[in-house]
Amino acid sequence: MKVWLDTAVLDEIREAVSWGVVRGVTTNPTHIANAGVTDFRAHILEIIEIVQGPVSVEVVSTDWQGMVREAEEIARWSPHVVVKIPTIIEGLKAMKIVKDFATINATLIFSPNQAYMAAAAGAHYVSPFVNRLDAIGHDGMQLVRDCLTIFRNYNWDREVVAASIRTSLQVYECLLAGSHIVTMPFSVLKGLMDHPMTEIGLKMFLDDWARVSAALGDALRGR
Ligand code: E4P
């Protein structure tokens, strides 16, 4: 499973990429609005410079002609740009055309049928929104599993990007489900590493080392 970061905040992306586990970034209009972006193209190119991997950039038109025009523009910015298109009928019409010159991430997916339709129209990535379904009492992870089953049934070269992730448990379930990619906020990424037993264990090691460091510490310093 690949980990993507779900943000447009440059400092979060720099820090997360330094950990060696982040392979891409997803943005959306909300992320862009919240990140204080002033120059959209320059900001996306800065993200690409940091992550050196696929960066999803979402169109904002709701008619297929506008979506295609926007896709043509953002695809010119970099080969790393993935064009994010909402999974609506106008989006399908746009995907049919955009697939010939850009990689597509079909977003706002809330049902297996939507995932199928987007993939059939030409999307390489499909993004089921896990937490937004969980939040209304549906099983977001079941949607991820259903998308994976559909692609496996037909041996389809498509990738599921589990999106709208809020908890470490959702990430764990994505790992067990075999999701190709999970895109998550920086806060969730940090939470994956938190465990009190690790903190306690490290303190115990260092406390015990402190008892002998005067005598043995030089060995660690090559003396
Ligand atoms: C990722 O590609 C999605 O745009 C993002 O996860 C949206 O979901 P959220 O706003 O519920 O997190």
Side-chain angles (χ1 to χ4, degrees):
M1 185 172 89
K2 288 171 280 190
V3 171
W4 290 358
L5 205 64
D6 193 19
T7 182
V9 176
L10 296 177
D11 286 347
E12 291 181 349
I13 299 167
R14 283 191 194 94
E15 174 64 16
V17 167
S18 75
W19 299 1
V21 298
V22 170
R23 299 286 179 267
V25 167
T26 47
T27 71
N28 62 38
T30 302
H31 288 331
I32 296 298
N34 291 343
V37 175
T38 53
D39 181 331
F40 191 12
R41 178 176 180 278
H43 195 89
I44 294 300
L45 292 178
E46 178 67 24
I47 292 174
I48 288 170
E49 179 62 28
I50 297 166
V51 71
Q52 292 297 308
V55 173
S56 292
V57 183
E58 191 161 339
V59 299
V60 293
S61 291
T62 52
D63 63 300
W64 70 265
Q65 299 92 335
M67 291 175 184
V68 171
R69 278 195 302 273
E70 290 176 21
E72 287 168 340
E73 173 56 30
I74 58 181
R76 271 196 287 271
W77 295 354
S78 165
H80 288 299
V81 163
V82 172
V83 178
K84 224 183 196 185
I85 298 175
T87 307
I88 58 177
I89 289 174
E90 288 297 303
L92 297 181
K93 295 176 184 176
M95 291 176 201
K96 179 177 180 290
I97 298 167
V98 173
K99 75 176 186 312
D100 293 332
F101 63 83
T103 303
I104 298 164
N105 180 354
T107 190
L108 285 166
I109 287 179
F110 295 95
S111 78
N113 290 337
Q114 285 179 321
Y116 165 75
M117 293 291 279
H124 176 77
Y125 300 110
V126 298
S127 292
F129 277 32
V130 174
N131 199 68
R132 292 196 191 185
L133 284 169
D134 287 356
I136 60 170
H138 291 253
D139 185 347
M141 279 310 305
Q142 188 53 50
L143 174 56
V144 172
R145 288 188 283 268
D146 287 348
C147 292
L148 291 166
T149 299
I150 290 166
F151 294 162
R152 271 197 296 269
N153 284 349
Y154 303 103
N155 196 28
W156 243 351
D157 177 24
R158 299 292 193 278
E159 293 185 88
V160 176
V161 182
S164 184
I165 296 293
R166 288 293 182 279
T167 69
S168 298
L169 178 60
Q170 287 165 341
V171 176
Y172 166 66
E173 289 183 300
C174 285
L175 286 164
L176 292 190
S179 187
H180 301 100
I181 299 159
V182 62
T183 191
M184 68 185 89
F186 184 55
S187 59
V188 174
L189 185 73
K190 280 191 294 185
L192 299 182
M193 292 302 291
D194 293 342
H195 198 295
M197 295 298 289
T198 304
E199 300 296 324
I200 291 165
L202 180 59
K203 184 178 187 315
M204 288 168 64
F205 285 159
L206 297 179
D207 288 348
D208 289 342
W209 178 254
R211 289 190 285 107
V212 297
S213 62
L216 304 182
D218 285 351
L220 290 177
R221 289 182 289 275
R223 297 191 197 119

